[in-house]
Amino acid sequence: MSAIRIYVPGDASAIAVGADETAAAILTEAALRGVAVKLIRNGSRGMLWREPLVEVETAQGRIAYGPVMEEDVASLFDAEFIEGGAHALHLGLTEELPYLKRQQRLSFERVGVIDPVDLDDYLAHGGYRGLDSALLMEPGAIVMAVSESGLRGRGGAAFPTGIKWKTVLDAQGASAVHDTQGTQKYIVCNADEGDSGTFSDRMLMEGDPFTLIEGMTIAGLAVGATRGYIYLRCEYPHAHRALNAAITTAKARGYLGSDIRSSGKAFELEVRLGAGAYICGEETALLESIEGRRGQIRFKPPLPAIKGLFGQPTVINNVITFASVPIILARGAEHYRNFGMGRSRGTLPIQLAGNIKHGGLVELAFGATLRELLYDYGGGTLSGRPIRAVQVGGPLGAYLPESTFDTPLDYEAFAAIKAMLGHGGIVVFDDTVDMAAQARYAMEFCAVESCGKCTPCRIGSTRGVEVIDRLCSGLDSPKQEALLRDLCETMTFGSLCALGGLTPYPVLSALDHFPEDFRRFSPSPAQLGRAGVGAAA
């Protein structure tokens, strides 16, 4: 009898709630009972409230149990869970669970399904078919396929990926070395996932690292780049190990190196660790860090596509952007473009966090609404209280009230309500939240994380904290509000990068949608006198 395959996630979120202990207990209990098992540490399915989620492979399919703690393991064996037996933690066939069945997973179709570092498992589930197609195409044809798919950058800016790649393909660098076009070019993956409430990059790198490697390799073929770097935040040790293991295997099997799949084409890849600075999520600060300098932004132009890493033409995209490429090459641009709405094509992995009952990852085609995500998938707040606000797009995203919850997930629809989708993170707040405090935090966050290169960001954020404090104290509120709005305008149009330029989004959205929170205190007559208010009377 062959060993029974049991899956326990090795994802950081599952490990944080006891997955390692659960996995060890399963192996121990199986040994005591003489049951032959093969334990696979897969990625997370994205149902974080069910972690550790244990799956067992049966004749009917994979059956899920969760959340399974170390102390639950013995009773699972008693209930014959290895045959799908009934138990209080029994959830049913994994693929039939409503949370997963209603999703449209493209980038994440293998995450939670395969052994992340088993190349044969990856190949068995459609891996490297995109690269096989790309190897038979001319660089311009690869770029055209990406352009026709409608793929836009998933890191926040939503810039059309095909246009960026075409710019690098056509670029001539500062020196002529190595590749077939005579110019050394680079592929850089921004894996410095630092936004609050975001974890899709981490989940993919831990759960399906070969997809990222394949996407970056295809990008290299498309633009004539022979070397790539994954810039990974140092707080992701599990992703670091998974990526390095996958890169080593890909090299050994001919999917990376000087002669990819005996094609005569080369692509080398390595991981570089960042030191945790939020500003290094900005593409030019990231390049400075890779080159061994302090993470400070560069003036633009020139754009990185013209003069990027080491002064050479460089493609910079984030993890989910690169992970979307293999399916475009494997199934065609039209297949990918059939998902979504308007100019927002394909799917977006949404991350539900904060005060939410069912936190986790949901991948859907553009067009789903915030309300659908918050209630149909998220189940409302964990506290059971009404949702008052959500922040979409990380710490620089706008705070949105309930009246906006029917807005579809679409880049242009969000821009129309002065918001942004960003990296797809949604942080939920119930009706106990103090929105003035959240606005103050946005300014304080900017002040702490600023690289210091430009005055509007460096000084403006510090002054912003002070103005919000005066506004909330009730001292000459109309004047302070006007000053705050003027300061935000200066930061928006005067900052050199998005850190200073977007910090006004959470501040002004909180002020516009929740003005009552900025009027908590009524000043005493003595305070009014000291401030000179009403002195003429």
Side-chain angles (χ1 to χ4, degrees), residues 124-389:
H125 287 83
Y128 277 117
R129 291 179 186 172
L131 178 63
D132 289 342
S133 296
L135 287 169
L136 300 175
M137 300 166 66
E138 292 297 320
I142 301 173
V143 173
M144 182 61 71
V146 172
S147 296
E148 291 178 347
S149 74
L151 177 65
R152 296 164 71 175
R154 298 294 191 252
F159 189 81
T161 304
I163 293 177
K164 182 182 290 188
W165 288 21
K166 181 67 163 58
T167 304
V168 177
L169 173 62
D170 294 341
Q172 297 298 316
S175 62
V177 289
H178 299 318
D179 78 1
T180 56
Q181 296 188 25
T183 297
Q184 178 66 61
K185 299 176 182 180
Y186 295 99
I187 307 297
V188 174
C189 176
N190 183 348
D192 192 56
E193 186 176 49
D195 285 350
S196 52
T198 60
F199 44 85
S200 61
D201 288 357
R202 177 190 59 74
M203 279 185 59
L204 189 130
M205 289 184 290
E206 292 176 0
D208 190 12
F210 286 112
T211 292
L212 174 57
I213 295 169
E214 182 180 0
M216 293 184 69
T217 307
I218 293 170
L221 296 175
V223 305
T226 57
R227 179 166 290 276
Y229 296 91
I230 300 171
Y231 186 84
L232 179 69
R233 62 187 296 107
C234 61
E235 295 91 341
Y236 282 178
H238 306 292
H240 190 206
R241 286 193 290 271
L243 286 169
N244 280 332
I247 288 171
T248 298
T249 300
K251 285 182 178 179
R253 298 278 292 272
Y255 288 94
L256 286 174
S258 59
D259 187 19
I260 300 170
R261 307 293 292 152
S262 301
S263 66
K265 299 175 181 178
F267 190 71
E268 301 285 353
L269 184 61
E270 65 178 278
V271 180
R272 292 286 181 93
L273 286 180
Y278 182 78
I279 193 63
C280 286
E282 194 278 334
E283 60 181 10
T284 63
L286 181 154
L287 296 179
E288 289 286 293
S289 180
I290 291 178
E291 292 179 13
R293 290 187 288 272
R294 176 185 174 189
Q296 272 198 329
I297 68 163
R298 298 175 180 175
F299 291 105
K300 291 186 286 189
L303 296 170
I306 304 297
K307 187 178 180 181
L309 187 64
F310 305 118
Q312 300 299 107
T314 304
V315 168
I316 308 175
N317 285 123
N318 92 317
V319 172
I320 302 303
T321 310
F322 282 124
S324 301
V325 170
I327 198 167
I328 294 171
L329 272 295
R331 301 180 189 174
E334 184 178 358
H335 173 85
Y336 190 82
R337 192 177 181 85
N338 283 337
F339 294 87
M341 63 175 287
R343 292 175 53 208
S344 302
R345 311 312 305 179
T347 60
L348 181 67
I350 297 293
Q351 303 117 91
L352 298 175
N355 192 340
I356 190 80
K357 186 176 182 182
H358 296 154
L361 183 132
V362 180
E363 185 176 0
L364 292 174
F366 288 95
T369 66
L370 278 173
R371 194 178 303 279
E372 179 183 353
L373 284 158
L374 295 170
Y375 294 101
D376 294 351
Y377 288 92
T381 64
L382 181 63
S383 63
R385 301 180 66 91
I387 297 176
R388 188 182 187 207

Side-chain angles (χ1 to χ4, degrees), residues 377-508:
Y377 288 92
T381 64
L382 181 63
S383 63
R385 301 180 66 91
I387 297 176
R388 188 182 187 207
V390 297
Q391 186 178 33
V392 184
L396 307 180
Y399 290 105
L400 301 177
E402 195 275 340
S403 60
T404 65
F405 288 178
D406 291 316
T407 304
L409 296 181
D410 169 75
Y411 292 117
E412 282 65 45
F414 266 65
I417 61 170
K418 299 180 180 180
M420 63 179 187
L421 277 175
H423 189 42
I426 300 178
V427 180
V428 181
F429 301 86
D430 71 11
D431 60 356
T432 64
V433 67
D434 180 344
M435 296 308 300
Q438 294 301 124
R440 186 186 191 280
Y441 170 77
M443 281 291 190
E444 186 178 29
F445 178 85
C446 181
V448 170
E449 296 294 344
S450 174
C451 76
K453 191 161 188 174
C454 70
T455 302
C457 177
R458 182 184 71 250
I459 302 300
S461 54
T462 301
R463 297 290 87 86
V465 173
E466 297 167 357
V467 174
I468 291 174
D469 285 344
R470 291 198 298 271
L471 174 60
C472 291
S473 73
L475 296 174
D476 201 3
S477 294
K479 178 180 178 181
Q480 299 305 324
E481 180 176 338
L483 182 59
L484 180 59
R485 291 183 182 278
D486 183 68
L487 176 62
C488 285
E489 183 177 4
T490 299
M491 293 178 67
T492 297
F493 296 105
S495 298
L496 289 176
C497 82
L499 177 56
L502 294 181
T503 292
Y505 269 63
V507 176
L508 293 178

Side-chain angles (χ1 to χ4, degrees), residues 24-37 73-74 77:
I26 288 173
L27 290 175
T28 299
E29 195 69 26
L32 289 173
R33 298 176 184 240
V35 178
V37 302
V73 170
F77 275 91

